[in-house]
Amino acid sequence: MKIQGRMFIWLSFFILAVAIVYGVWSKEPVGTTGLFLAFGLSIMIGFYLAFTARRMDSLAQDNKEADVADESGEVGFFSPHSWQPLSLAIGGALLFLSVAVGWWLAYFSAPMLLIGLWGWVFEYYRGESRTQ
């Protein structure tokens, strides 16, 4: 995590330089404010990662002599047969589309989004997959 902290800190310095140049050159307040907020977000993430890396053991990504296999292991559990992310994605896409098309579409897409979210959260609490 040390390398990620350094990357975000260097990125924040770059964003700060771009924000200053953009603010002086364009005199446009919205973009300048957005760039300064991006600087603040990047510096917060960088310092958090650097602070956390000091408290953790060294990972394989911090070792310059490490192989790809050194970081191998279990990543997590991913459901191989779930249809819920598809309904969640369709509901979310239609809900964001309602901003451009019309708010009336949100009345149809919000329930679809909520049903997909409910099904995704509780899919291992009912049915044939209940014991997994």
Side-chain angles (χ1 to χ4, degrees), residues 7-84:
M7 286 172 53
F8 270 100
I9 290 171
W10 282 109
L11 177 68
S12 66
F13 289 135
F14 173 74
I15 293 173
L16 179 64
V18 168
I20 291 170
V21 169
Y22 183 81
V24 169
W25 196 349
S26 71
K27 296 179 180 50
E28 194 258 324
V30 176
T32 307
T33 304
L35 284 170
F36 277 112
L37 289 174
F39 160 73
L41 181 64
S42 181
I43 199 82
M44 282 192 309
I45 293 171
F47 275 118
Y48 171 77
L49 290 174
F51 178 75
T52 306
R54 276 188 261 138
R55 303 177 85 188
M56 291 179 53
D57 293 333
S58 185
L59 299 174
Q61 59 193 350
D62 296 325
N63 184 6
K64 294 183 192 243
E65 302 294 324
D67 292 329
V68 174
D70 292 341
E71 197 66 39
S72 64
E74 184 176 337
V75 177
F77 175 74
F78 302 100
S79 183
H81 61 276
S82 178
W83 285 91
Q84 300 303 328

Side-chain angles (χ1 to χ4, degrees), residues 5 15 18-19 34 40 53 55 66 76-77 85 88-90 97 99 104 110-111 122 125:
I15 293 173
V18 168
R55 303 177 85 188
F77 175 74
L88 192 63
I90 292 171
L97 185 66
V99 175
W104 60 269
F122 293 111
Y125 290 97

Side-chain angles (χ1 to χ4, degrees), residues 84 87-88 91-92 95 109-121:
Q84 300 303 328
S87 65
L88 192 63
L95 188 64
S109 57
M112 184 184 298
L113 180 80
L114 292 175
I115 288 170
L117 182 64
W118 182 269
W120 199 20
V121 169

